[in-house]
Amino acid sequence: MAKETISVLLSEEEVDKRVREIGAQISKDYAGKEITLICVLKGSCIFTCELAKRIDIPVCLDFMSVSSYGDDTKSSGIVRIVKDLDESIQGKDVLVIEDIIDSGRTLSYLMDTLKRREPASLRLCTLLDKEERRVVDVNVDYVGFKIPDEFVVGYGLDYAQKYRNLPYVGVLHFE
Ligand code: IMP
Ligand code: MG
C-alpha cells in the first residue's frame, strides 16, 4: 500500500485568523438579521462550527448531506441528497458553508435546489477554493483561501474518511 505524507499548506494560526475575519465580515453584512448556516456534511463540520463561534448576530444551524457519485478524489456531478435540512428555509437568510469548491458541480446543484425553496437570501461561503479546477460556474460570496490544484486534507477535509481532525490544512502526498 502507498505511504501517505502530509505537508502543511495553511497553519492552524492562519486558518483561525481567517475564520475570525470572515466571521466579522458576515456579522457586519447581516447586522440586525438572523442567519441560518447550512453545514454541508461532513467536510464543512469543523469550519461551520468554528465560523459560527465568530459570528456575533443570532445564528441557526442546520445540516445537509449530499453525496456525489465519483471516486475518492473527483466528483461526478450526479448529486444525491443523503440527509436533508430539518427546518424550512423559506423566508430566511441562508448561508451555505462548504469546505472546498473544486469543479463546482456539487455546489451548483445544491444552490439550485435550495433556491427553489424560496429563502429571503442565499449566499455561499467556502473555506477553500480551487479556482483553476472550476467546470461549473458558482457564485461564491465568502472565500477563506484560494488554493492551488492539490489534494488537501484536514480542518474537516478527508481522504477516505481520514485526516478530518487535523487542526490545519495540509497537502496529501502519495509516495
Ligand atoms: P466539486 O463538486 O468538484 O466542487 O467537489 C467538491 C467536493 O469534493 C468537496 O466538498 C469535497 O468533498 C471534495 N473535494 C474536492 N477537492 C478536495 C480535496 O482537495 N480534498 C478533500 N476533498 C476534496
Ligand atoms: Mg464537501
Side-chain angles (χ1 to χ4, degrees):
M1 215 167 80
K3 192 170 176 279
E4 295 154 18
T5 56
I6 296 165
S7 57
V8 178
L9 178 67
L10 302 163
S11 71
E12 184 172 358
E13 292 71 26
E14 273 176 279
V15 177
D16 284 352
K17 181 169 171 280
R18 188 71 188 114
V19 170
R20 283 170 194 269
E21 286 168 5
I22 300 170
Q25 186 63 51
I26 290 169
S27 305
K28 208 171 123 204
D29 294 351
Y30 289 85
K33 295 183 179 168
E34 181 182 293
I35 190 173
T36 298
L37 301 184
I38 296 184
C39 170
V40 186
L41 295 169
K42 298 173 189 169
S44 71
C45 62
I46 293 181
F47 179 43
T48 303
C49 296
E50 291 301 316
L51 182 63
K53 284 160 59 180
R54 307 303 169 204
I55 296 175
D56 59 16
I57 55 164
V59 167
C60 292
L61 281 180
D62 208 339
F63 300 84
M64 197 161 181
S65 179
V66 294
S67 135
S68 141
Y69 296 98
D71 58 33
D72 282 343
T73 58
K74 210 166 87 239
S75 71
S76 64
I78 305 166
V79 182
R80 181 169 60 100
I81 296 177
V82 177
K83 184 225 171 288
D84 208 335
L85 300 172
D86 291 335
E87 310 281 335
S88 161
I89 54 166
Q90 193 172 24
K92 293 183 181 165
D93 290 300
V94 174
L95 183 59
V96 174
I97 313 294
E98 252 294 15
D99 51 352
I100 187 164
I101 306 179
D102 186 35
S103 72
R105 289 188 177 109
T106 310
L107 255 294
S108 163
Y109 170 87
L110 191 61
M111 296 303 276
D112 284 349
T113 303
L114 295 175
K115 208 176 291 167
R116 275 185 255 119
R117 299 183 187 182
E118 301 175 330
S121 68
L122 180 65
R123 285 183 175 174
L124 175 59
C125 172
T126 187
L127 177 66
L128 306 172
D129 186 359
K130 279 192 206 171
E131 226 179 1
E132 61 188 271
R133 296 256 311 165
R134 203 60 42 81
V135 175
V136 181
D137 221 27
V138 273
N139 190 32
V140 194
D141 301 283
Y142 303 96
V143 178
F145 301 91
K146 293 188 175 168
I147 61 163
D149 181 14
E150 308 236 46
F151 195 82
V152 291
V153 293
Y155 214 82
L157 291 118
D158 75 307
Y159 171 67
Q161 301 303 325
K162 283 189 299 184
Y163 310 120
R164 292 193 197 275
N165 58 310
L166 297 178
Y168 56 87
V169 176
V171 175
L172 185 64
H173 307 275
F174 301 92
E175 293 182 353

